[in-house]
Amino acid sequence: MNQEVPSNFVPSLHAKGINVPNSLQPTPSLRQGDLSPISWQPTSAPRKISPSPPTPTLPTSKLSEQHNWQASLSNVRERNAVMFNNSTMADVYFTVGSDGLKKRIPSHKYILGSGSTVFYAMLYGGLAEEAKVMEICIPDVEPAAFLNLLRYLYCDEILVEADTVLSTLYVAKKYIVPQLAKACVQYLETSLSAKNACILLSQGRLFEEVELMQRCWEVIDAQAEDALRSEGFTEIDRKTLEAILSRETLNTKEICVFSAVCKWARAECARRELDPNPQNQRHVLGDCLQLVRFPAMSLDEFANGPAQTNILTLEECCNVFLHFTAQTSPQLPFNKQCRKGLSQFRVHRFQSSAYRSNQRRYRGRCDSIQFSVDRRIFIAGFGLYGSSNAASEYKVKIELKRNGSVEGQRHTKFLSDGSSNTFPVLFESPVQIKPEIFYTANVILEGHELSYFGQEGVAEIQCEKVTFQFQCSSESTNGTGVQSGQIPELIFYS
């Protein structure tokens, strides 16, 4: 007789009424390419954490058929590993998955009960059956994720892959196996980027993973435009949408926020099988639309954007236009204040600056320096020295590299005023910098040859609780190094 998992064995996710799908498939925005700490190509090898020696290479189903196989294995872990996904001596069978994805998986009560309090209650508690061999259905778990759970319980191994990490986290939470859940969260944190931060925030809320949520907020705040434009943003649930729109520290323009909201509304209409007309978009957004700060846009942005979408009523549009143009503006249901965004910080690596008549020549040669940090930050751009001979305009290419790969780049111009001040040159979007990895900052300037340069540089400096280390770069062909040169400042969010 099949036995459904009793509801009291499902941890807090179900007890609190959180609706978890029958099969926790990764959402369309969570492709394998989205979740890799290196290149994240679909062919990337999974990351395997094995604190103990590897399990025997011979298939367990074959090894256990050998005579006296126990004597050939030196410890309990190896002998338990032979029983992983093996019907030999199995006394409980799980039918895992739903529809065409069902799989019957053999297991052993002792291993399960010794590894999970939930399994112990199911198999040895007051509600446990007396049957010699138990049959248990688990329709809301993917077979691959359940095998990951058993692999950890039997073999003390954690196999984390991009396409099963969320479903594995779900099953680890469900059966209260904290070390497996922790490994999944760490994997997600190392894979975090603007492309997947919103959907991982949504999953972090579902699984009540506070640290993962905090890491997601760091990325969403600093790289708000990229995060809001990502495909994953359209897949978040409505509560997560509300949390993001309420965020004071989003580092983006309000017109970008509105564009993202419209994309989400169209996707939500599709999920509800509604025609994505303005009225239905307004309906699925509900009160979330009031979290968009239309008065914080410029008049031109509002007139050429929201005012022409028909998502706002005629009266709402009229009142916002009056807010921009009339001396006395009407009451509005929208926040009038611009979002504060994040505070920019600057780390200055020189103690003084100077200039000489023959010192710096900017004819397309590269100034370069390498740096690393001890915690995650986001580089917004560089502060650069300008002309030492009156006001002058420079053409500039700024670039950030990691292991030779370009992480951020911009071609632009800036005007210096002839002083020894530094002048900010920013990337289009902040670049995420991971700790304990050296990055290369490159600048190629073209313009007035007489320029200030830094002196008395330091190899290590702390700014806003972030420790920066600098070292010379082999790409520097214009004299910049640790002790002197260009790129006096890194502009960052922390």
Side-chain angles (χ1 to χ4, degrees):
M1 179 180 66
N2 285 357
Q3 177 186 340
E4 292 285 344
V5 179
S7 60
N8 60 320
F9 297 135
V10 181
S12 59
L13 293 180
H14 288 222
K16 294 183 179 180
I18 298 175
N19 182 27
V20 180
N22 286 340
S23 180
L24 190 61
Q25 296 288 351
T27 60
S29 59
L30 282 171
R31 303 177 180 87
Q32 276 184 289
D34 293 347
L35 285 174
S36 172
I38 307 174
S39 64
W40 289 98
Q41 297 302 315
T43 55
S44 297
R47 187 170 62 187
K48 191 174 184 179
I49 305 170
S50 182
S52 304
T55 56
T57 56
L58 188 66
T60 58
S61 59
K62 297 296 182 183
L63 183 60
S64 62
E65 293 174 4
Q66 293 183 356
H67 175 68
N68 199 24
W69 62 268
Q70 296 90 337
S72 66
L73 302 175
S74 60
N75 55 57
V76 173
R77 177 185 172 275
E78 290 182 356
R79 291 190 288 274
N80 282 344
V82 172
M83 294 294 103
F84 168 59
N85 198 20
N86 191 339
S87 60
T88 301
M89 295 185 286
D91 51 7
V92 56
Y93 284 83
F94 294 95
T95 300
V96 183
S98 60
D99 301 327
L101 300 175
K102 288 184 180 180
K103 185 171 184 178
R104 192 166 183 261
I105 300 174
S107 194
H108 305 81
K109 295 179 184 178
Y110 169 74
I111 298 293
L112 299 173
S114 63
S116 161
T117 57
V118 176
F119 282 134
Y120 180 83
M122 288 171 59
L123 302 172
Y124 295 100
L127 296 178
E129 283 188 353
E130 296 292 336
K132 188 175 181 179
V133 177
M134 296 178 64
E135 295 276 352
I136 299 175
C137 283
I138 308 179
D140 63 328
V141 172
E142 291 182 0
F146 194 76
L147 286 171
N148 282 345
L149 173 68
L150 295 185
R151 181 180 290 104
Y152 174 72
L153 297 180
Y154 279 79
C155 310
D156 200 25
E157 291 179 0
I158 299 173
L159 186 66
V160 183
E161 297 176 289
D163 56 352
T164 59
V165 61
L166 288 174
S167 52
T168 302
L169 176 58
Y170 170 65
V171 74
K173 286 282 190 175
K174 177 171 182 171
Y175 294 105
I176 313 181
V177 184
Q179 291 304 314
L180 179 58
K182 182 179 180 181
C184 291
V185 170
Q186 289 175 342
Y187 183 84
L188 291 170
E189 287 179 354
T190 60
S191 310
L192 192 57
S193 68
K195 184 160 60 168
N196 59 33
C198 291
I199 191 63
L200 290 184
L201 175 66
S202 181
Q203 298 294 340
R205 291 181 64 254
L206 175 68
F207 296 126
E208 299 179 336
E209 285 292 342
V210 177
E211 288 189 19
L212 177 60
M213 291 172 62
Q214 179 57 38
R215 298 290 183 271
C216 290
W217 280 126
E218 291 174 4
V219 175
I220 292 169
D221 281 342
Q223 298 178 299
E225 289 195 16
D226 290 342
L228 295 178
R229 289 181 182 139
S230 70
E231 201 174 315
F233 180 80
T234 65
E235 300 294 331
I236 62 177
D237 61 277
R238 194 173 181 280
K239 285 290 186 182
T240 304
L241 174 68
E242 185 177 345
I244 292 175
L245 297 182
S246 301
R247 194 78 173 170
E248 189 69 33
T249 45
L250 287 181
N251 203 38
T252 186
K253 292 182 176 181
E254 204 64 25
I255 188 65
C256 180
V257 174
F258 177 73
S259 296
V261 165
C262 290
K263 282 179 60 180
W264 183 91
R266 290 192 292 270
E268 182 66 9
C269 285
R271 286 189 285 269
R272 298 190 191 186
E273 298 182 348
L274 298 173
D275 180 59
N277 58 49
Q279 291 72 31
N280 284 337
Q281 289 184 48
R282 177 68 181 255
H283 171 69
V284 299
L285 284 169
D287 295 340
C288 285
L289 189 64
Q290 295 185 1
L291 298 174
V292 180
R293 305 184 182 189
F294 296 103
M297 299 178 187
S298 68
L299 175 59
D300 182 68
E301 287 172 338
F302 180 76
N304 291 292
Q308 299 188 37
T309 62
N310 294 324
I311 290 179
L312 294 173
T313 66
L314 186 60
E315 181 181 4
E316 287 170 335
C317 282
C318 181
N319 287 340
V320 174
F321 276 121
L322 287 174
H323 164 78
F324 287 122
T325 57
Q327 290 184 351
T328 303
S329 61
Q331 289 289 332
L332 293 172
F334 311 110
N335 193 326
K336 299 178 182 179
Q337 301 299 318
C338 294
R339 299 177 195 268
K340 293 180 181 178
L342 294 175
S343 298
Q344 279 188 0
F345 303 105
R346 298 190 181 198
V347 57
H348 196 95
R349 65 189 191 93
F350 297 122
Q351 298 182 57
S352 64
S353 61
Y355 70 91
R356 302 190 190 104
S357 60
N358 63 348
Q359 182 65 32
R360 294 287 156 186
R361 296 185 180 277
Y362 293 123
R363 296 175 179 173
R365 301 178 72 181
C366 183
D367 287 286
S368 182
I369 193 72
Q370 289 192 324
F371 70 94
S372 70
V373 291
D374 63 345
R375 54 178 290 188
R376 186 210 312 264
I377 63 169
F378 299 86
I379 293 291
F382 308 143
L384 303 178
Y385 288 123
S387 169
S388 60
N389 185 20
S392 181
E393 183 180 74
Y394 288 92
K395 292 180 180 178
V396 59
K397 173 187 175 182
I398 60 173
E399 190 176 63
L400 257 180
K401 289 183 177 180
R402 174 188 172 187
N403 296 328
S405 176
V406 176
E407 301 283 302
Q409 188 181 85
R410 189 184 182 194
H411 294 259
T412 187
K413 298 177 181 179
F414 76 93
L415 183 67
S416 68
D417 59 9
S419 71
S420 60
N421 295 331
T422 58
F423 301 92
V425 180
L426 305 180
F427 294 103
E428 294 288 350
S429 180
V431 180
Q432 182 178 176
I433 303 298
K434 296 182 179 180
E436 313 304 336
I437 297 173
F438 270 95
Y439 291 77
T440 303
N442 289 340
V443 172
I444 298 176
L445 285 160
E446 292 186 17
H448 203 287
E449 295 183 8
L450 300 179
S451 169
Y452 287 92
F453 61 93
Q455 296 184 128
E456 301 177 275
V458 293
E460 183 174 311
I461 189 171
Q462 188 174 74
C463 179
E464 295 299 322
K465 300 182 180 179
V466 181
T467 300
F468 292 79
Q469 290 187 334
F470 296 96
Q471 66 181 28
C472 293
S473 167
S474 61
E475 296 187 38
S476 187
T477 58
N478 202 39
T480 288
V482 173
Q483 295 297 319
S484 64
Q486 258 287 7
I487 321 180
E489 291 178 336
L490 301 180
I491 304 171
F492 69 99
Y493 304 110
S494 173

